[in-house]
Amino acid sequence: MSEDHELGATEAELIKARRAKLDALRSSGRDPFALTRFDRSHEARDLHEKFGALQPGEHASGTLVRAAGRMGTVRAMGKKAVFSDVSDQSGRIQIYFRADALGDEFRLVDTLDRGDLVGVEGEPFVTKTGELTIAVKAFTVLAKSLRQLPEKWHGLTDHETRYRQRYVDLIVNRPVLETMLLRSKLIAATRHYLDERGFVEVETPVLLSIAGGANARPFVTHSNALDISLQLRIATELNLKRCIVGGIEKVYELGRIFRNEGIDRTHNPEFTMLELYQAYGDVNTMMDLSEDWIVHLAGVARVRGEHTFAGETFQLERPFARIAYLDAMAKWGGLERADILDEQRARAVAQRLKLSLEAGAGHAHVIDKIFEAVVEPQLLNPTFVTDFPLVLSPLAKRRRDDAELVERFELFIAHMEIVNAFSELNDPDDQRTRFEAQAAQRARGDQEAPEPDWDYVHALEYGMPPTGGLGSGIDRLVMLLSGESSVRDVLLFPLQRPE
RNA sequence: GCGUCGUUAGCUCAAUGGUAGAGCAGCAGACUCUUAAUCUGUUGGUUGUGGGUUCAAGUCCCUCACGACGCACCA
């Protein structure tokens, strides 16, 4: 040990110091990396539930528990008493090493560092300051941590390092782990919710020759076997409706979608989308289901009543507000029907509102921009915006009383679009006409206009029952319910440019 | 893609163009109920990359890389 004082604090030297401790463990016959298992009696959370009621100073005499996890700060009181703690997935429990309880073992406490994975066996008690603690009778190093964790107080804050080395972020920033666990819970709860209601989960291809069902630029790749270029899916919509045609009456897919577009606080190139379709249902079926499902998920996330997101507080309570698309434009923008549905007048409105539009922007794009500027800022509490213009909705069924509008809604919460749903267009002739319009747009050089999937029309020609369908971006839902305002903070490994 | 800001010790951050510092961590020592433990001592630097200006550059100028934020595109 006399050489240790020569160890400095470069990264290499910090690692060397830890390797020296690893060597010490090995030479005492306790190679941590040779161990294969450690049987725990409790996770940290269980211990708090079971022994949390002990009084300060009280011991659960004769009770031995076994816990394991990553060591936190080491608080040594001289050479004879050391406090630390271990964290596992469920939480944290303090541990206490005493020379008189450990005997010869106690000298090995010197080989422990913050960050090591350790297993301990001991007796639960509550300290005089009131913290549940395990009085360690025996301990084992289960993996030696050779690298130093970031500082305990400020932790790791550098975004780049947090995303690139998420494992470190998860270790030292507990709320990150909690958010990721919440994400998993919400996804599992969604599957359970749908399965219970008779929906069937299917898996449709990610690799397609034509990625359709949405307006977005796809990623392009190549099949060596077929020697053709392929696109990664931008939606699951068309294949799921093929399933409806085929007779899978309540169908969903909860999976990854890829869009080759911008990256920012609310967009990652790959994201998780729920799409579901219900034969013999319509837009109203979807509205009821959305409201029930979202409120259910809020319950899973323990979000009830008032909830704050990005500095604004809203009410997450049933029933959600409803307003028709054109009514919303009238209410908050003073705009008439023709200001929206007539292309020239819509362009004039956009100009008056000083909206920046791309050169080749179509009617749909202009309307969308107006909506974004006029209506979205008003939509804080959950609100269904219904009866969308046809021109925005190439896959939705027309209203019977108004051929320029469709049976569609979007659910907005905290200004974010959370659900998009409609009565699915099942008239093959109408669908063909709308695809032809898109093809014409595309021929005029509009890169945004999707390439028509003619086989989808072919499928509709066999007859698709009247169907309600919805899509929902799961990442944004997780953002909303976790309070994270960046999509990167609800993804374990957000896309980063290689270093 | 455009704009703004950032990149200094393992981590979090300082440093008028004039000898690169602190806190934490690490290492050594004191302390048998600490919890940002405390106290004493101490180690640790290619200041993101490559150029330029200058007697002298972490600092000024240019290039590039990566990131955060905003805009554009999208969900």
Side-chain angles (χ1 to χ4, degrees):
Chain A
M1 292 300 250
S2 63
E3 291 171 14
D4 283 357
H5 72 276
E6 291 173 10
L7 286 176
T10 61
E11 189 168 22
E13 288 169 322
L14 292 169
I15 290 170
K16 202 170 160 192
R18 287 180 174 230
R19 285 194 179 277
K21 294 178 184 176
L22 174 60
D23 290 341
L25 281 167
R26 282 180 167 149
S27 57
S28 71
R30 294 155 185 271
D31 183 350
F33 296 116
L35 295 170
T36 55
R37 72 187 273 176
F38 182 86
D39 294 321
R40 294 188 274 181
S41 67
H42 299 77
E43 292 186 15
R45 188 202 293 124
D46 303 331
L47 290 168
H48 287 286
E49 276 169 19
K50 200 158 177 184
F51 301 102
L54 292 175
Q55 295 303 303
E58 192 183 349
H59 287 241
S61 298
T63 307
L64 280 185
V65 298
R66 289 163 66 82
R70 198 175 290 276
M71 284 224 336
T73 56
V74 177
R75 306 178 290 278
M77 320 303 301
K79 286 270 180 274
K80 292 175 179 168
V82 174
F83 282 90
S84 185
D85 49 77
V86 293
S87 295
D88 61 27
Q89 187 183 308
S90 75
R92 193 195 85 116
I93 181 83
Q94 181 163 258
I95 56 177
Y96 181 38
F97 301 92
R98 260 178 91 109
D100 52 14
L102 282 161
D104 278 354
E105 292 268 290
F106 189 81
R107 72 190 165 76
L108 286 169
V109 173
D110 273 345
T111 66
L112 300 179
D113 284 300
R114 174 164 175 262
D116 287 349
L117 290 152
V118 294
V120 301
E121 181 176 80
E123 186 182 88
F125 76 105
V126 170
T127 63
K128 69 184 183 191
T129 52
E131 178 160 357
L132 180 64
T133 303
I134 300 174
V136 176
K137 298 252 191 313
F139 68 95
T140 318
V141 182
L142 301 170
K144 185 70 191 159
S145 176
L146 297 177
R147 289 183 183 274
Q148 182 170 262
L149 289 172
E151 191 217 325
K152 63 198 172 194
W153 185 238
H154 299 91
L156 180 66
T157 61
D158 180 71
H159 285 95
E160 189 170 350
T161 312
R162 287 186 48 220
Y163 299 143
R164 289 192 198 281
Q165 299 182 40
R166 184 66 101 178
Y167 40 90
V168 179
D169 193 30
L170 288 166
I171 292 167
V172 300
N173 294 324
R174 184 81 199 182
V176 174
L177 178 60
E178 299 294 345
T179 299
M180 298 308 165
L181 294 178
L182 174 64
R183 181 188 176 106
S184 290
K185 269 170 80 175
L186 293 174
I187 288 173
T190 296
R191 286 208 161 90
H192 183 68
Y193 179 92
L194 295 174
D195 293 347
E196 250 190 348
R197 282 158 182 77
F199 284 88
V200 174
E201 182 175 18
V202 297
E203 292 182 288
T204 65
V206 169
L207 297 174
L208 301 164
S209 40
I210 303 167
N215 258 7
R217 283 209 290 272
F219 283 91
V220 175
T221 184
H222 184 263
S223 162
N224 291 337
L226 302 180
D227 192 26
I228 55 172
S229 93
L230 290 170
Q231 303 180 339
L232 274 58
R233 67 183 180 190
I234 57 175
T236 48
E237 173 140 5
L238 301 184
N239 270 332
L240 291 180
K241 283 190 277 191
R242 284 182 172 96
C243 294
I244 293 282
V245 170
I248 308 176
E249 296 177 350
K250 294 172 103 177
V251 68
Y252 75 97
E253 182 159 7
L254 182 47
R256 207 69 61 85
I257 297 293
F258 308 84
R259 297 190 180 175
N260 203 348
E261 283 160 356
I263 301 176
D264 64 24
R265 232 183 60 247
T266 54
H267 299 84
N268 193 65
E270 50 180 302
F271 61 102
T272 300
M273 177 113 110
L274 168 69
E275 284 196 42
L276 72 83
Y277 296 86
Q278 179 170 348
Y280 310 112
D282 69 358
V283 71
N284 294 306
T285 319
M286 293 299 106
M287 205 178 296
D288 293 342
L289 191 148
S290 309
E291 188 174 282
D292 193 58
W293 168 58
I294 299 273
V295 170
H296 175 70
L297 288 193
V300 169
R302 296 170 197 276
V303 168
R304 286 203 179 75
E306 286 204 342
H307 183 58
T308 299
F309 180 79
E312 284 186 292
T313 300
F314 62 87
Q315 299 285 333
L316 195 57
E317 274 169 16
R318 315 183 66 158
F320 295 170
R322 300 181 182 201
I323 188 167
Y325 192 95
L326 291 176
D327 291 346
M329 289 287 213
K331 181 175 180 183
W332 291 302
L335 300 172
E336 302 173 10
R337 178 185 173 103
D339 288 328
I340 304 303
L341 299 184
D342 180 83
E343 181 164 356
Q344 291 317 311
R345 288 184 62 174
R347 287 188 188 280
V349 169
Q351 201 162 24
R352 182 157 55 75
L353 295 173
K354 296 184 168 58
L355 303 178
S356 64
L357 292 171
E358 299 242 307
H363 188 190
H365 188 79
V366 174
I367 299 179
D368 238 3
K369 280 300 204 184
I370 297 172
F371 184 85
E372 200 177 293
V374 167
V375 178
E376 279 188 20
Q378 307 292 336
L379 302 177
L380 177 59
N381 285 318
T383 305
F384 290 111
V385 177
T386 64
D387 305 316
F388 271 59
L390 172 75
V391 63
L392 290 177
S393 318
L395 297 162
K397 194 177 273 196
R398 289 172 208 266
R399 283 184 64 91
R400 269 180 291 183
D401 60 351
D402 190 335
E404 288 187 296
L405 301 181
V406 295
E407 291 198 1
R408 172 182 176 187
F409 73 80
E410 286 190 357
L411 171 62
F412 285 84
I413 306 177
H415 317 294
M416 286 195 293
E417 180 201 328
I418 298 294
V419 177
N420 176 24
F422 35 88
S423 299
E424 304 296 333
L425 177 62
N426 63 346
D427 177 344
D429 295 331
D430 194 349
Q431 186 67 72
R432 184 182 298 105
T433 306
R434 297 193 206 181
F435 274 179
E436 277 164 356
Q438 284 180 354
Q441 257 185 305
R442 211 179 146 75
R444 284 199 299 272
D446 184 353
Q447 289 293 309
E448 309 289 315
E451 191 177 343
D453 182 342
W454 296 113
D455 176 76
Y456 175 67
V457 177
H458 189 87
L460 292 186
E461 284 172 345
Y462 283 91
M464 180 170 85
T467 297
L470 76 76
S472 180
I474 296 299
D475 308 86
R476 290 193 179 169
L477 199 49
V478 178
M479 285 168 66
L480 186 76
L481 294 175
S482 66
E484 295 291 351
S485 56
S486 171
V487 71
R488 296 182 198 99
D489 294 322
V490 299
L491 292 167
L492 278 167
F493 304 105
L495 185 65
Q496 297 282 106
R497 199 182 282 277
E499 279 178 292

